[in-house]
Amino acid sequence: MFDPKEVKRLNIPQWEAVYRSEIVPGIISFIAIHDTSRGWALGGCRMANYDNEATALTDVLRLSRGMTFKNAISDLPLGGGKSIIVCDPNIKGKKREKTLEEFGKFVAWVNREKDVYCTAEDMNTTVQDMNIVKKYCRNIFGTSVDPSPYTAHGVFSAIEYAVDYFAMDLFYGRRTLCGKRVLIQGLGKVGMMLMQLLSDAGMEVYVTDIREEKVLSAIEKFPDIKPVDPEDIFGIEVDILSPAAKGEVITKQNVDNCKFKILCGPANNQLQNPETGIMLHKKGIVYCQDFIANMGGVCSIQYLEIENLSHEITLKRIRRTVRKMLGLTFRTAFRSNLSFNIAVDHAVRRIIWRSKEDTQKLSNAIIFPLTATSEP
Ligand code: NAD
């Protein structure tokens, strides 16, 4: 069970604090706090199996740094962090409950002296899970708000904006979504909602999920959508690929097979590494930065739970910020002759982080110190 004496603090350059704890026998959890210069580090808790601990650690580091960027580019008064519970995400009943309770104690311990890290639901964790965590710590958001629909709305706005922005270059001047083809990889909390929004907008929607029941339930709701084999995402010709399952969808090995025109989805870390983004750019493929496209979830927590704003204002602000920041990225890329993923790094540093000290901190952080590894 969670024992403060067993917590290890890992010394990772450029991260403010990284903790490892065996919260229940055989189940390791990591909490990574990347940067709190703008406020508490906010970032969800994901439950997943990894090949080994190093892979899990790499993932939590990358994700926590991504949260610093996302919270900053969303102009939220929040820093970046993330947590991971390394276990079978399908555990149920008492075992799941116990694991989440012990994780709650771990989060409370990290915040014992000062509030530095707040968590929320993420991949393979739910609002119900977070309500269990909340019994043992108060540093939880997303229990009265389900961020996923807001994430989906943000991704929808990003797709809409990118199609409009590049209509002349990619779609013979046709600006609407109607009739364009999109493939959504992953029909989870975000993917399912995104499918509905894109179908309603008249898009030709292709879907894939490793869980057949998800695809069947999507077809039941929207009989026109077309299922695709999970292994065949590069085999079909679509205008937009929307990763909504896992990271590292685009790798050095598969980038030559990419036939789509726009990459835009909610999944974090869609590119294996920055070079993959440069390769996509050379192929003329537009990349909508993951942490801009998927900022809706974290914005909804800030606007609805922390600032008590209405649903309508929240949606309006998310749409406006996604469009503004994507526009900034696209313009920075063209002006400076950079790929979109590199342009966004420049934009974050120059526009969002204003103080010299923080700019320096981020410019160091651009070089990710560990090798990229695959998510489960
Ligand atoms: P989820 O766990 O609810 O859904 C993921 C879905 O992807 C599941 O249905 C799963 O079966 C499927 N899947 C897994 N591997 C797959 C593969 N190889 N091919 C096809 N399908 C596969 O997750 P979610 O909350 O919908 O989030 C989706 C992604 O968006 C994640 O990467 C998450 O980190 C990111 N994200 C989510 C939010 C949010 O608000 N939920 C916010 C920001 C980012």
Side-chain angles (χ1 to χ4, degrees):
M1 297 310 122
F2 174 73
D3 179 354
K5 290 198 281 304
E6 297 297 317
V7 176
K8 279 195 191 132
R9 185 175 174 151
L10 311 176
N11 189 7
I12 312 273
Q14 298 159 21
W15 269 255
E16 285 182 14
V18 181
Y19 301 99
R20 173 205 184 273
S21 171
E22 186 165 3
I23 50 173
V24 291
I27 298 186
I28 306 290
S29 173
F30 289 101
I31 296 180
I33 299 162
H34 176 251
D35 189 290
T36 58
S37 47
R38 293 175 65 88
W40 316 315
L42 175 67
C45 168
R46 116 178 345 193
M47 206 181 249
N49 251 328
Y50 292 83
D51 292 343
N52 51 50
E53 262 193 66
T55 319
L57 176 61
T58 305
D59 204 26
V60 79
L61 295 179
R62 279 160 53 98
L63 291 163
S64 58
R65 179 177 160 266
M67 287 308 298
T68 300
F69 276 64
K70 177 160 41 179
N71 292 339
I73 210 157
S74 311
D75 208 15
L76 302 175
L78 298 168
K82 201 84 181 183
S83 50
I84 284 185
I85 302 173
V86 186
C87 69
D88 173 5
N90 298 316
I91 52 166
K92 293 197 170 63
K94 282 266 167 276
K95 189 165 183 201
R96 189 174 188 95
E97 200 175 321
K98 189 72 198 149
T99 304
L100 292 162
E101 284 174 359
E102 298 304 311
F103 173 72
K105 293 178 195 169
F106 186 21
V107 175
W109 179 85
V110 165
N111 292 299
R112 67 202 178 283
E113 284 167 4
K114 188 178 163 215
D115 288 324
V116 284
Y117 173 66
C118 287
T119 194
E121 60 155 320
D122 196 75
M123 198 172 100
N124 299 324
T125 56
T126 61
V127 172
Q128 290 86 328
D129 289 338
M130 287 305 120
N131 275 316
I132 299 173
V133 178
K134 207 177 179 176
K135 288 196 273 180
Y136 291 89
C137 73
R138 59 198 178 90
N139 309 79
I140 302 281
F141 285 107
T143 49
S144 64
V145 173
D146 178 1
S148 304
Y150 296 94
T151 304
H153 275 279
V155 177
F156 177 80
S157 299
I159 292 176
E160 205 177 33
Y161 184 74
V163 166
D164 185 46
Y165 196 100
F166 292 100
M168 293 308 287
D169 308 87
L170 302 176
F171 301 111
Y172 309 102
R174 284 196 283 273
R175 296 180 181 281
T176 64
L177 294 186
C178 192
K180 296 194 170 63
R181 296 156 302 172
V182 61
L183 167 58
I184 303 171
Q185 182 197 38
L187 288 170
K189 299 183 287 286
V190 183
M192 200 65 102
M193 176 80 191
L194 182 62
M195 178 203 73
Q196 295 184 12
L197 295 171
L198 296 173
S199 295
D200 289 346
M203 289 192 84
E204 205 178 304
V205 182
Y206 295 76
V207 295
T208 187
D209 199 293
I210 46 170
R211 289 164 66 183
E212 204 188 348
E213 71 273 16
K214 297 268 186 177
V215 178
L216 294 176
S217 122
I219 294 175
E220 205 176 295
K221 284 188 207 145
F222 290 85
D224 289 341
I225 61 165
K226 301 172 183 69
V228 171
D229 188 295
E231 299 299 320
D232 199 28
I233 59 166
F234 298 108
I236 62 152
E237 291 225 11
V238 287
D239 297 305
I240 296 146
L241 175 66
S242 188
K246 58 180 190 96
E248 294 187 28
V249 175
I250 309 301
T251 64
K252 235 170 148 174
Q253 288 71 35
N254 66 28
V255 71
D256 282 340
N257 303 333
C258 295
K259 294 194 269 254
F260 49 86
K261 296 170 183 165
I262 296 174
L263 178 67
C264 181
N268 291 307
N269 301 325
Q270 291 162 35
L271 307 177
Q272 184 184 37
N273 52 37
E275 288 71 41
T276 329
I278 296 168
M279 288 162 89
L280 272 187
H281 191 71
K282 284 188 182 150
K283 281 174 70 82
I285 296 172
V286 174
Y287 171 53
C288 299
Q289 182 69 37
D290 49 11
F291 56 73
I292 297 182
N294 70 19
M295 70 165 66
V298 75
C299 287
S300 72
I301 290 174
Q302 173 71 24
Y303 300 152
L304 292 164
E305 269 192 356
I306 304 176
E307 295 183 28
N308 276 322
L309 299 177
S310 69
H311 166 77
E312 288 71 25
I313 294 179
T314 297
L315 274 186
K316 211 167 146 183
R317 280 203 187 176
I318 290 169
R319 289 200 186 111
R320 194 179 57 204
T321 315
V322 166
R323 296 171 71 87
K324 183 174 154 195
M325 292 308 173
L326 269 188
L328 176 70
T329 307
F330 296 157
R331 287 193 302 279
T332 307
F334 291 128
R335 273 197 209 127
S336 313
N337 197 17
L338 295 167
S339 65
F340 298 112
N341 60 314
I342 302 293
V344 82
D345 276 351
H346 285 235
V348 171
R349 276 182 289 152
R350 254 189 289 139
I351 313 291
I352 310 294
W353 259 271
R354 292 184 180 90
S355 86
K356 209 175 161 212
E357 189 191 298
D358 287 339
T359 305
Q360 183 57 44
K361 207 174 196 174
L362 263 176
S363 77
N364 293 339
I366 296 298
I367 304 148
F368 190 73
L370 300 171
T371 49
T373 48
S374 51
E375 285 187 80

